[in-house]
Amino acid sequence: MDEHINTAKENGLSSPEKVNGIVSPTLTNEVSIQKGRSSSTSSQIVISEDISEKTDLLMDTYLNGDSFHHKKCLDGDDEPVVETEIGKIRTLHYSVSETPPAHLLVLFALQQALLSVSSPLGVSIVVAEVVCAQKDEVIVAQILSASMLMCGVATFLMTTFGVRLPIFQGPTAMYIVPLLVMSSSAEWQCSETYEGINPIDNSSILLTVVGNNTAVPARQVILANIARLSGSLMLVGVFHVLIGVTGLVGVIIRYIGPVTIVPTIVLVGLFLFKVLVKFLRPSWLVASITCACNLVLSLFLSKKKTPIPFWSFHKGFHIFWFPFHTMFSVMISLLVGWALSAVLTVSGFYTDDPASEEYLARTDAKGDIVARASFFDIPYPGKLGGFAFSTAGFLSFTIATLMSVLDSIGDYSACARTARVTPLPRFAFNRGIAVEGLATILGGSLGCCHASVSYGSNIGAMGITGVASRSVFQLCGIIYILCAVVGKIGAFFITIPLPVLGGTSLVMMGLFIGMVLGYLETINLRSTRNLAIIGIALLLGLMMPYWITNNPEGVNTGSEQVDTLIKILLSNPSFVGGFFACVMDNTVPGTLKDRGLLEQMKELDGDSSDQLTEKTDYMEGREVYRLPFLPQAFRRSKVARIFPVFDTVSS
């Protein structure tokens, strides 16, 4: 062990962070770290005597496993000097500003793209059901293409011009719940759709009944529904942009904290059980096996690694151990469920009656859609019709936007910690939110009927792989754009059986709810005030939608439009629970620390209390968030100072 120390001295290491090229681990808050006396031949980490017992335990642990070197101070001090060489704790393979070689860059980008491909697919199917297009496979394919294009463009914009961190942007449940709530109202009820004859050219088209039993082309109703949602979403996108450009993030975050966020978003996740049941019902068998496969790979085997045969010039044929099954648990379980559905379809286990619900579990239920899809189908604004306005849709999307802003703030901070860069400055938060708003406007113009937010799962995968390159996520965005343009790719994803999607979505939505509950760690859970507000908010969020569904005539103000608006708001569990929690959290006395607002404000300010006692080994600094193409003169200008989205410098 002393050989490593002597080697370090001979090489003249002047930093306590590396010994033989290995980064030393940073001790936790329980261990107070202070630098020893500087020397031209060595650097030392001095550990005070009051924690010597803990240090000895750490020494014993690493002496039995990884290399851990310690010796007495050469100056005669009684305090032990610890130098570490921990093989398991390593730097990132690629930092934010680094670009991997071309062949690795493509593989890393494909990996991140595959992690989230099921989300736009599942959301597109839900949107199709809301706008009454579930039987119009062409419209479904176009919605999916538009959704994937928005994911690609939003991800590229976020990593290049937004917060400039490796963050994936995609659809989320926050924007789906308002759609589900509206679909339950009388205004948005879908009529029975059946095949008919087009009198113009005698072709086969889908017809639907509206008004006084009048049959009209179903696509006419579908495009009208998409127009109302699209126009409302575009207006919300303008509001979303203004939140970032004007710096309103700092104002909102002082009034909406974890006590409000947790019940609001948890109710979003719980309300989605209706969608899950629709996906699972055609075949509970396939859905259960798909879900079980995902749980086994991601949870039961999370500590294991996959043996992968590998050959290289240096080592020849050998086994490479890599957590492949954990990183790709969603995709593996999806493929397993898909294969099982294919076997059950070929064996005749499923019915071949298209009128039966079980028919949707067959792999050939939508097999002809790939053949009918065009090779190139470029989504563009207005392709799915014009733009209208819906008051209920606007209010619902606005609530979802406020929640997504707060969720993005947490994701940005988590990504910065994972990528080992300095905490985000305020201008980076503002610019990231503004870019998300631009993506919301784009989503409305394309007819997606939903916006995009940052994904936490891709941040977790980045931490596992050690690849935090911005270039990887930029290429990932380009891959999604290509998938949107090539129509047959989007159509191919639609052929995935619904029970397979339901099995994977069950795990992901459960994880989503669990992650939201993690926000509670920042509040005082012993406070009766906090527990009462959260508990009552959850209860009201479940009660009011149930009551309004069973008593549609319970609201009668004399105005049909007002009645409809109130019913839609009361049918939205996240609005009911979130509104109650927000009002109570800002009126009932409580300290900022107990409410969790103190930590939330520190995240916005790029501050963290643990930095006072823990040394953080950053790989890159504030320059990561700076737009490199802006000249120094602009950063000194008055324009840059007016809009808090730029990194300004004093004249």
Side-chain angles (χ1 to χ4, degrees):
M1 293 188 295
D2 293 334
E3 292 178 4
H4 297 288
I5 299 177
N6 295 331
T7 302
K9 291 180 180 180
E10 292 172 1
N11 293 334
L13 293 179
S14 59
S15 171
E17 298 172 1
K18 291 186 177 181
V19 176
N20 291 346
I22 306 299
V23 176
S24 302
T26 303
L27 301 182
T28 59
N29 294 344
E30 297 178 348
V31 182
S32 176
I33 301 178
Q34 56 180 348
K35 291 185 178 179
R37 287 185 287 273
S38 61
S39 173
S40 61
T41 60
S42 65
S43 292
Q44 304 165 340
I45 301 176
V46 181
I47 308 229
S48 56
E49 293 179 343
D50 61 334
I51 50 130
S52 60
E53 293 183 1
K54 294 182 179 180
T55 304
D56 292 337
L57 292 175
L58 289 172
M59 290 180 181
D60 292 338
T61 301
Y62 287 108
L63 280 172
N64 294 329
D66 300 313
S67 300
F68 190 97
H69 309 294
H70 67 287
K71 62 184 181 67
K72 289 290 182 178
C73 181
L74 297 177
D75 297 331
D77 295 338
D78 292 332
E79 295 172 330
V81 177
V82 179
E83 297 187 8
T84 62
E85 180 188 331
I86 309 303
K88 294 182 180 179
I89 300 179
R90 56 172 174 76
T91 59
L92 294 171
H93 294 302
Y94 296 98
S95 62
V96 174
S97 301
E98 293 177 336
T99 302
H103 60 287
L104 293 179
L105 178 64
V106 173
L107 291 177
F108 290 145
L110 284 173
Q111 175 178 260
Q112 290 290 351
L114 289 173
L115 285 175
S116 305
V117 71
S118 60
S119 296
L121 175 58
V123 170
S124 298
I125 293 176
V126 173
V127 170
E129 292 188 359
V130 172
V131 299
C132 309
Q134 60 269 31
K135 292 185 178 181
D136 193 330
E137 296 174 348
V138 175
I139 293 293
V140 175
Q142 290 179 344
I143 292 175
L144 176 59
S145 296
S147 181
M148 298 187 79
L149 178 63
M150 187 193 67
C151 290
V153 173
T155 300
F156 186 85
L157 290 177
M158 179 60 68
T159 54
T160 307
F161 304 102
V163 74
R164 287 182 57 79
L165 287 176
I167 293 178
F168 180 84
Q169 297 285 120
T172 181
M174 295 179 195
Y175 286 91
I176 298 305
V177 170
L179 301 182
L180 296 176
V181 170
M182 287 187 293
S183 66
S184 63
S185 64
E187 181 183 1
W188 290 85
Q189 287 293 321
C190 296
S191 302
E192 183 65 26
T193 302
Y194 59 93
E195 289 190 3
I197 302 299
N198 189 348
I200 298 178
D201 55 5
N202 293 326
S203 61
S204 178
I205 62 172
L206 291 175
L207 299 176
T208 188
V209 178
V210 297
N212 298 324
N213 294 326
T214 303
V216 298
R219 188 163 295 185
Q220 177 180 328
V221 176
I222 294 171
L223 296 181
N225 291 336
I226 293 178
R228 286 189 290 172
L229 294 177
S230 298
S232 303
L233 187 60
M234 291 176 68
L235 287 178
V236 172
V238 174
F239 172 64
H240 201 161
V241 172
L242 291 176
I243 292 177
V245 172
T246 60
L248 284 176
V249 178
V251 177
I252 295 174
I253 205 169
R254 282 163 172 77
Y255 296 96
I256 302 179
V259 176
T260 301
I261 296 173
V262 169
T264 302
I265 303 182
V266 166
L267 286 168
V268 170
L270 293 177
F271 191 74
L272 289 177
F273 80 91
K274 296 181 179 179
V275 180
L276 280 177
V277 171
K278 289 183 179 180
F279 282 21
L280 300 174
R281 204 160 44 193
S283 177
W284 288 95
L285 174 63
V286 172
S288 300
I289 294 177
T290 304
C291 178
C293 180
N294 198 337
L295 291 175
V296 170
L297 294 176
S298 60
L299 297 181
F300 288 95
L301 300 179
S302 61
K303 303 297 183 180
K304 306 295 182 180
K305 293 185 178 181
T306 306
I308 302 176
F310 195 76
W311 185 89
S312 65
F313 287 102
H314 298 288
K315 294 184 178 181
F317 180 81
H318 61 281
I319 300 298
F320 176 65
W321 294 86
F322 188 74
F324 181 87
H325 62 277
T326 302
M327 296 172 57
F328 294 99
S329 59
V330 175
M331 294 306 302
I332 293 175
S333 60
L334 189 146
L335 293 175
V336 169
W338 203 348
L340 178 60
S341 292
V343 172
L344 295 178
T345 300
V346 173
S347 63
F349 182 82
Y350 292 136
T351 179
D352 56 358
D353 181 12
S356 174
E357 188 176 48
E358 188 182 84
Y359 184 79
L360 296 175
R362 295 178 62 93
T363 53
D364 58 357
K366 302 177 181 179
D368 59 337
I369 189 174
V370 177
R372 289 189 295 162
S374 59
F375 280 97
F376 295 97
D377 187 12
I378 302 176
Y380 56 85
K383 183 176 182 178
L384 293 176
F387 309 108
F389 179 76
S390 169
T391 303
F394 177 79
L395 292 176
S396 299
F397 284 141
T398 300
I399 296 170
T401 295
L402 293 175
M403 296 300 101
S404 71
V405 167
L406 298 174
D407 182 65
S408 294
I409 290 174
D411 286 341
Y412 295 168
S413 300
C415 184
R417 289 192 293 268
T418 304
R420 296 178 62 183
V421 298
T422 55
L424 280 82
R426 188 179 291 267
F427 73 84
F429 277 113
N430 293 333
R431 199 169 63 222
I433 298 301
V435 168
E436 285 192 6
L438 291 175
T440 301
I441 297 176
L442 175 64
S445 65
L446 292 174
C448 298
C449 302
H450 62 77
S452 65
V453 298
S454 55
Y455 274 23
S457 58
N458 292 78
I459 297 175
M462 182 177 66
I464 294 175
T465 61
V467 179
S469 172
R470 182 191 297 121
S471 302
V472 170
F473 284 78
Q474 289 171 334
L475 182 56
C476 178
I478 294 175
I479 291 174
Y480 268 82
I481 294 175
L482 292 177
C483 290
V485 172
V486 182
K488 287 191 178 295
I489 296 180
F492 173 76
F493 285 124
I494 295 178
T495 62
I496 300 177
L498 291 185
V500 178
L501 288 177
T504 55
S505 299
L506 177 61
V507 178
M508 300 308 294
M509 290 183 183
L511 177 62
F512 169 74
I513 295 175
M515 292 176 62
V516 172
L517 292 175
Y519 282 108
L520 293 176
E521 67 179 359
T522 61
I523 72 172
N524 183 7
L525 289 175
R526 296 183 179 180
S527 170
T528 304
R529 170 196 182 277
N530 292 342
L531 297 178
I533 294 175
I534 294 174
I536 297 174
L538 290 172
L539 190 60
L540 285 176
L542 296 174
M543 285 174 52
M544 293 306 299
Y546 175 80
W547 176 79
I548 204 69
T549 301
N550 291 276
N551 298 275
E553 305 300 327
V555 177
N556 187 7
T557 62
S559 172
E560 184 178 353
Q561 293 182 345
V562 175
D563 290 348
T564 301
L565 177 60
I566 293 176
K567 290 177 182 178
I568 290 179
L569 291 179
L570 292 181
S571 298
N572 190 330
S574 59
F575 171 78
V576 175
F579 181 79
F580 173 83
C582 183
V583 172
M584 295 295 290
D585 190 35
N586 287 281
T587 54
V588 178
T591 64
L592 292 178
K593 183 177 181 181
D594 286 347
R595 296 167 59 191
L597 288 174
L598 193 60
E599 292 296 324
Q600 188 167 278
M601 292 177 185
K602 287 179 180 178
E603 279 196 338
L604 181 65
D605 294 332
D607 185 22
S608 180
S609 59
D610 60 0
Q611 293 178 27
L612 300 176
T613 56
E614 179 179 354
K615 179 181 178 300
T616 306
D617 185 16
Y618 297 121
M619 296 187 67
E620 294 180 274
R622 188 185 179 98
E623 71 279 357
V624 169
Y625 310 106
R626 186 175 300 153
L627 295 175
F629 48 82
L630 291 181
Q632 195 81 349
F634 177 82
R635 296 171 57 209
R636 294 192 181 98
S637 66
K638 293 182 179 180
V639 176
R641 297 180 185 280
I642 293 175
F643 299 102
V645 294
F646 301 109
D647 180 24
T648 58
V649 294
S650 57
S651 302

